[in-house]
Each structure stands twice: as structure tokens, then as C-alpha cells.
Amino acid sequence: MAIQWFPGHMNKAKKAIAERIKSVDMVIEMLDARLPASSENPLLAQLSKGKPKLKILNKQDLADPERTAIWLEHYNSRPDTQAIALDSSETAATAKITRACRAMMPNRGGIDKPLRVLICGIPNVGKSTLINGMIGKKTAKTGNEPGITKAEQRLFLADDFWLYDTPGMLWPKIIVEESGYNLAASGAVGRNALDEEEVALELLDYLRRHYLPLLQTRYQADKDPSSHWQDTDWLEWIAKKRGAVLSGGRINYQKAAENTLTDFRDGQIGRITLETPHQWESWLKAAKQKEAELKAAREARKAERKGKPS
């Protein structure tokens, strides 16, 4: 199942960002350190072309530290790009961000030339929590669900540092299937746009292949032959461990899926990153190939229809 979520307010956000981009000096894009590429908005890349970018890998305390280091190296190798990792609640976040921005834009500063920065990110990436920590008071609304911020806000971090906050935004079509599942697992997608059981099964499939010891420890499965289990076996095991069992011993798969996703989002399973740069490149290549094949098939059908007599 392909996961897509682009409600009306996101289209408004796209238009607002496209207009604001014209008047800012640089862009901060907040990424989820557990899924950096999946949370990197290709639409923003198009809109902000030519602007220096600071990539913030947020929620690093929930991510695999070894993979975070690999992702930082990956982004820092890009031109006009700097990447840092942080947890949005850490006290040094403001200093880290402002220092990085000023280093990237040394010619902007002072009352006459304030540094104007646009901050963007996918829904539920922790942007509002970060901003509240930076300005020292609760201005941006926060919540553990996507789509809290609905309109642009201008915030003054200093007399010469203006920060434009924008609503969380995905993009109209997610072509990488793995990316859709990763976004859904992280909580960036509205619940009405996904099947939680299917998302949990995809998550468990990845975890059993890449983070098996963490799964075994979290769900007390270390004494069982769990290395040979499939994702459905894991979901049934979790259901029994967490009391998600109906009368007659029937498995409550929905409740087990909710428990699994909550455990992942809260970091209860462990520090996990759902993709590496190499994996992402492979997924993207396959997705583009599939898109090209679908387009070719559509064009062939059009040509065939046109060639038929009326």
C-alpha cells in the first residue's frame, strides 16, 4: 500500500513557503534523525534552490548514533549545506543553530542587515518544540501528532536574527514506498491515511533484519528462535506480551500494532535509524525506475487509443 498524505493546509503551506523563500537568506530544514532522507522534502529542495541550507537531524537521542554520524558526513559533503544533530529539548540547541547559521552567512548581521532564516520540516518532526526552546517561551503550539502548526510565524531570536516558522509539510506524491512507511512509523502521517497494522509489520520486518537484539530485549524474546520469525510472528508475540489478546485467545492485531508504533516513536525499543544513505539510494533508484515504467505504460495506452478508429 502506497502511503500519501497532503491535506489542504499543506498546499497552503507550499504557497506560503514559495513566497517567503524570495525574501530570506537561508533555509533550515529539520529532519528526523531516524529517517533523514525519508523526512527530507523534495518539494522544499525545489523551492529553495540556490539558498544555503542547514540540515538539522532532530531527535538524535532516539536514533542510531553510528548511522547519524554517517548521515552527517553525507549531508556535509553537499555544497552550500551544513548538517548538525541535536535533540530539540537540549539547552544548547539555540547556540548551535544560531552559530551555524551565522557561520554560513557571514555577510548578514546587524540591525541594517538582519539574518533572515526560514525553518521548515515535515509534520511532527519536533520543530515547534525546538522553537519554543530557542525563544524561551511557549509561542509555537506543540503536540505528538502531525499538522499542529497551521500558519507562518515570524520570531525574533535577536535584533538581527529573524526566524520564519512554517507549517509542517509533506509533498503531493511519495514515490519511494519505504519512505512512506518510515514516515508513517515516525508519526508524520495522519492516522486516517494509513493502516497501522501494515505499518507496524513493515517496521518489524526492518527491525528484525537490522536491529534484532533490540527487539529481543524489548519484548523478552531472547530465549526464543526469534531470528527466524517473520514480521507477523513478531506482532503476535508482542500482542501476547502486551496483553493485546481478545476473548478466546484471539490476537488483537490493531492494538499490538499501536503498541509497537508507540514503542518505536518513544524510543522504547532502542536507538534506531530506519535507513542509510546506501539503502536510500537503492530505494530511490528502484522507485524512479518504477515511475518511468508506469509513465511509459500510460503513454503507450494513450497512443493506442489515439490510433484506434472512432
Side-chain angles (χ1 to χ4, degrees):
M1 179 188 76
I3 292 176
Q4 309 291 341
W5 192 54
F6 196 72
H9 73 272
M10 288 191 187
N11 194 46
K12 293 179 181 178
K14 172 190 169 183
K15 294 177 181 178
I17 289 173
E19 187 61 31
R20 177 56 61 193
I21 283 284
K22 301 173 186 176
S23 62
V24 298
D25 303 301
M26 64 173 292
V27 174
I28 294 174
E29 182 175 17
M30 287 191 68
L31 307 176
D32 190 323
R34 299 167 298 175
L35 45 144
S38 291
S39 58
E40 187 176 16
N41 193 331
L43 187 58
L44 179 61
Q46 296 172 14
L47 295 174
S48 62
K49 191 174 181 179
K51 299 282 185 180
K53 297 176 185 65
L54 175 65
K55 303 280 189 181
I56 297 178
L57 274 64
N58 195 34
K59 304 184 181 183
Q60 70 159 343
D61 55 318
L62 302 177
D64 182 333
E66 291 184 5
R67 289 190 172 189
T68 296
I70 293 170
W71 277 109
L72 288 174
E73 182 180 359
H74 172 78
Y75 285 122
N76 282 319
S77 68
R78 293 183 180 180
D80 296 321
T81 303
Q82 183 177 344
I84 60 175
L86 53 80
D87 169 15
S88 59
S89 63
E90 67 181 75
T91 56
T94 303
K96 274 187 183 179
I97 293 169
T98 55
R99 185 165 57 247
C101 289
R102 291 190 187 279
M104 294 183 75
M105 299 296 300
N107 296 324
R108 299 295 304 186
I111 301 299
D112 296 332
K113 293 193 301 180
L115 178 54
R116 300 160 301 178
V117 180
L118 180 72
I119 184 167
C120 309
I122 64 169
N124 206 31
V125 77
K127 181 165 55 64
S128 295
T129 299
L130 173 68
I131 289 171
N132 286 335
M134 292 174 73
I135 62 178
K137 59 182 178 180
K138 190 171 182 179
T139 295
K141 293 181 181 179
T142 63
N144 191 24
E145 61 180 274
I148 294 292
T149 305
K150 292 289 195 299
E152 179 189 88
Q153 304 177 76
R154 184 172 71 170
L155 308 166
F156 297 92
L157 299 185
D159 290 340
D160 63 344
F161 196 121
W162 301 356
L163 186 69
Y164 294 90
D165 179 25
T166 56
M169 183 179 70
L170 291 174
W171 45 103
K173 185 176 183 181
I174 300 170
I175 68 168
V176 179
E177 187 174 7
E178 294 88 349
S179 176
Y181 284 118
N182 289 350
L183 288 165
S186 75
V189 176
R191 293 187 65 178
N192 61 338
L194 59 91
D195 180 331
E196 286 169 314
E197 183 180 333
E198 185 172 359
V199 173
L201 288 172
E202 289 292 329
L203 174 65
L204 287 168
D205 181 58
Y206 189 89
L207 296 183
R208 73 179 179 83
R209 289 183 288 114
H210 298 280
Y211 291 98
L212 181 60
L214 295 183
L215 269 183
Q216 291 174 320
T217 300
R218 173 60 182 169
Y219 299 111
Q220 299 91 47
D222 54 307
K223 294 181 180 179
D224 289 83
S226 46
S227 59
H228 304 295
W229 290 358
Q230 300 302 307
D231 44 10
T232 49
D233 298 320
W234 269 106
L235 196 58
E236 290 176 4
W237 176 268
I238 292 169
K240 293 172 183 176
K241 282 291 181 180
R242 302 296 292 275
V245 181
L246 301 170
S247 60
R250 291 174 297 129
I251 299 296
N252 186 338
Y253 288 98
Q254 174 64 26
K255 186 65 175 177
E258 291 174 0
N259 286 337
T260 303
L261 294 175
T262 298
D263 280 353
F264 168 70
R265 292 167 185 170
D266 293 345
Q268 295 300 316
I269 300 174
R271 298 185 67 173
I272 291 165
T273 300
L274 296 177
E275 56 201 34
T276 65
H278 178 72
Q279 288 172 344
W280 172 255
E281 288 168 9
S282 176
W283 297 343
L284 183 59
K285 182 179 179 181
K288 287 182 176 179
Q289 177 64 32
K290 185 178 179 180
E291 285 290 297
E293 291 171 357
L294 290 173
K295 182 178 180 181
R298 285 194 296 268
E299 293 299 323
R301 287 195 298 269
K302 280 184 184 180
E304 185 181 356
R305 286 197 299 267
K306 287 182 179 179
K308 288 181 178 180
S310 58

